[in-house]
C-alpha cells in the first residue's frame, strides 16, 4: 500500500490554502515546510486535489465500514455515513454503527411484511365473509321461494276443495 509523505501532504495543504484565499497562512506554511525546495511539480497537481483526496479517503472508510467478510448483499445493504462520523470514529465503531442501522432496517422490513401479510389476510377473511353472506342470502331466497310455492300449493288445494 502506498502512503502519502509529509512533504506531499504539506504541498496539498499549501495548495488548498492558496486556492481558498488564505494567502498569509499559505505563505507561512510554505516557508516553514520548505515548499519552495521540494521536488513536487505544482503544474501536475490539479486544483482541489486535497479536497478530492480527503473525499476519497472518507469514501474508502465508508466502504470499509460497510463491508465485512460475511456480507454478500453489499448493494442493497450499503449504508451512507455522515462525514463527521467517518472522521471521528474508527473502522470498528463505524462497522458497529452500520450493523445497528441494518438491524433497525431489517426490523422495519419485518414489520412492513407483517403489516402486508395481516392486510392480505384481512382481505381474504373479508372475502370469505362476503361469500358466506352471499350463500346465506341465496339459501334464504330459495327457502322463501320454496315456502311461497308451498303456500301457493296449499291455497290451490284449499280453493279446489
Amino acid at each position: 500500500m502506498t502512503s502519502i509523505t509529509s512533504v506531499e501532504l504539506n504541498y496539498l495543504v499549501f495548495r488548498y490554502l492558496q486556492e481558498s484565499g488564505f494567502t498569509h497562512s499559505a505563505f507561512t506554511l510554505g516557508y516553514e515546510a520548505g515548499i519552495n525546495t521540494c521536488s513536487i511539480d505544482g503544474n501536475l497537481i490539479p486544483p482541489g486535489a486535497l479536497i478530492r483526496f480527503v473525499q476519497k479517503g472518507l469514501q474508502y472508510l465508508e466502504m470499509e465500514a460497510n463491508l465485512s467478510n460475511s456480507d454478500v448483499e453489499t448493494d442493497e445493504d450499503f449504508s451512507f455515513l455522515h462525514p463527521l462520523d467517518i472522521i471521528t470514529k474508527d473502522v470498528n465503531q463505524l462497522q458497529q454503527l452500520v450493523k445497528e442501522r441494518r438491524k433497525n432496517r431489517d426490523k422495519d422490513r419485518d414489520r412492513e411484511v407483517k403489516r402486508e401479510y395481516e392486510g392480505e389476510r384481512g382481505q381474504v377473511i373479508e372475502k370469505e365473509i362476503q361469500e358466506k353472506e352471499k350463500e346465506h342470502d341465496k339459501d334464504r331466497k330459495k327457502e322463501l321461494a320454496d315456502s311461497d310455492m308451498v303456500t301457493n300449493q296449499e291455497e290451490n288445494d284449499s280453493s279446489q276443495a
Side-chain angles (χ1 to χ4, degrees), residues 133-150:
E133 287 176 354
K134 285 180 183 178
E135 287 177 27
H136 186 68
D137 288 343
K138 284 180 185 178
D139 290 342
R140 241 192 258 154
K141 287 179 183 178
K142 186 177 179 184
E143 286 175 8
L144 286 174
D146 288 345
S147 69
D148 283 345
M149 285 175 55
V150 169

Side-chain angles (χ1 to χ4, degrees), residues 29-96:
L29 176 66
Y31 179 75
E32 290 182 3
I35 298 293
N36 60 341
T37 61
C38 74
S39 62
I40 297 174
D41 183 5
N43 295 325
L44 298 177
I45 308 296
L50 178 65
I51 299 296
R52 271 197 299 278
F53 184 74
V54 170
Q55 286 173 338
K56 285 184 181 190
L58 293 174
Q59 289 170 346
Y60 175 81
L61 283 173
E62 192 169 33
M63 287 292 293
E64 189 176 12
N66 274 284
L67 294 176
S68 69
N69 294 336
S70 63
D71 283 348
V72 178
E73 304 170 10
T74 54
D75 287 342
E76 72 180 47
D77 285 346
F78 192 83
S79 178
F80 288 103
L81 302 170
H82 297 286
L84 190 57
D85 287 338
I86 296 171
I87 293 169
T88 58
K89 296 179 180 173
D90 69 355
V91 174
N92 292 331
Q93 291 172 322
L94 293 173
Q95 286 176 338
Q96 186 63 33

Side-chain angles (χ1 to χ4, degrees), residues 114-127:
K114 187 176 179 181
R115 276 191 223 124
E116 287 176 11
Y117 174 76
E118 289 172 352
E120 290 172 4
R121 183 67 187 141
Q123 290 174 352
V124 168
I125 291 172
E126 177 122 359
K127 248 184 189 178

Side-chain angles (χ1 to χ4, degrees), residues 100-114:
E100 289 172 9
R101 285 186 182 179
R102 286 181 183 163
K103 284 180 186 177
N104 291 337
R105 188 178 59 231
D106 290 344
K107 285 179 186 177
D108 291 342
R109 270 192 210 146
D110 291 344
R111 280 190 220 124
E112 185 65 30
V113 167
K114 187 176 179 181

